Amino acid sequence: MVERNLRSFPHSCSTLGRKIAALYDSFTSKPLKEHIFPPLIDMLIYFNVFKAPFLVDLKKPESKIPHTVNFYLRAEPGVILGIWHTVPSCRGEDAKGKGRCWFEVALRDGNPIVVYLHGSAEHRAASHRLELMKVLSDGGFHVLSVDYRGFGDSTGKPTEEGLTVDAVCVYEWTKARSGTTPVCLWGHSLGTGVATNAARVLEERGCPVDAIVLEAPFTNMWVASINYPLLKIFRKVPGFLHALMDALRKDKIVFPSDENVKFLSSPLLILHGEDDTTVPLECGKKLYEIAHSAYRNKERVKMVIFPPGFQHNLLCKNPTLLITVRDFLSKQWA
């Protein structure tokens, strides 16, 4: 045995040496910035490595929000999505002690449904997301809060194409179980780009989304990135913007909401706060102007601007938010 191992040792060393040489050649064939920039941009845009709040058992949503069930959907091979389904508060008593099957059947009860596509970082148990879920539930909505691939306990790695597949998957799954009950895609921040991507895919399949709500939207990821607070400080560094553009292009990160809305026909509601410093109000206004110009039926596009005090994540604390959403959707779905 020892003699055989000694005879194979030179061959093993040779194989290892070739692998190391190949890795070295691969590394040195590209500039250092190409090794560093794309992963850095990925991290800043998705920031899914920050899985706060910590020590939360996502399989047990009742510890964070009432009349909610956790379940999982397979978006594609190797990708399992974690989702919380919160029923309207008016059905809270009925939901006690019930399992996933009851919640699934409840989607047909006539109460409108929101598929919630959150922003970057954290997961479906983040405090500001829970607050919105509670507001919508109290307002008579079902809410399906989705963790994209790589977020929370969902498997896979986030990419723009992947997040779009995830959103389309959850929307189609919901529509297949909702009967005549309308389903709305609600995106926040990064989720607005996911929502318009998914809505365009569904539009091109001949199945327009019942409605779209975009909370704090940007026009495209390039504009969002150069205005992102963490990146603003680097804008004057020589070559930074060029390297940023290259990284976004190489990773195929575009989220072109400004182009997507030109091809949509679904009712579209844009919500933005005056004091949003993460995604400036001007981005939401610009997107509204593009959509309003492109839509044949102008009444299907609306923008509501909220006064200072709610910044980027807390529009749900404004008492008029629910009224605004319900009024818009009821008119569109009348």
Side-chain angles (χ1 to χ4, degrees), residues 74-115:
R74 183 182 181 185
E76 58 186 17
V79 178
I80 305 296
L81 307 178
I83 303 168
W84 282 1
H85 175 189
T86 304
V87 298
S89 293
C90 60
R91 303 216 59 193
E93 286 299 316
D94 300 336
K96 287 183 177 178
K98 302 298 196 303
R100 176 182 171 180
C101 290
W102 181 90
F103 279 77
E104 193 171 312
V105 171
L107 290 169
R108 291 177 173 265
D109 65 9
N111 290 299
I113 304 164
V114 165
V115 172

Side-chain angles (χ1 to χ4, degrees), residues 40-84:
L40 176 63
I41 294 303
D42 266 9
M43 186 191 73
L44 290 173
I45 287 174
Y46 301 118
F47 209 36
N48 59 304
V49 295
F50 184 58
K51 297 183 182 293
F54 306 107
L55 303 178
V56 173
D57 187 348
L58 293 172
K59 293 182 177 65
K60 297 178 179 179
E62 62 274 13
S63 66
K64 291 292 181 179
I65 184 169
H67 42 81
T68 298
V69 69
N70 176 72
F71 69 101
Y72 297 93
L73 281 184
R74 183 182 181 185
E76 58 186 17
V79 178
I80 305 296
L81 307 178
I83 303 168
W84 282 1

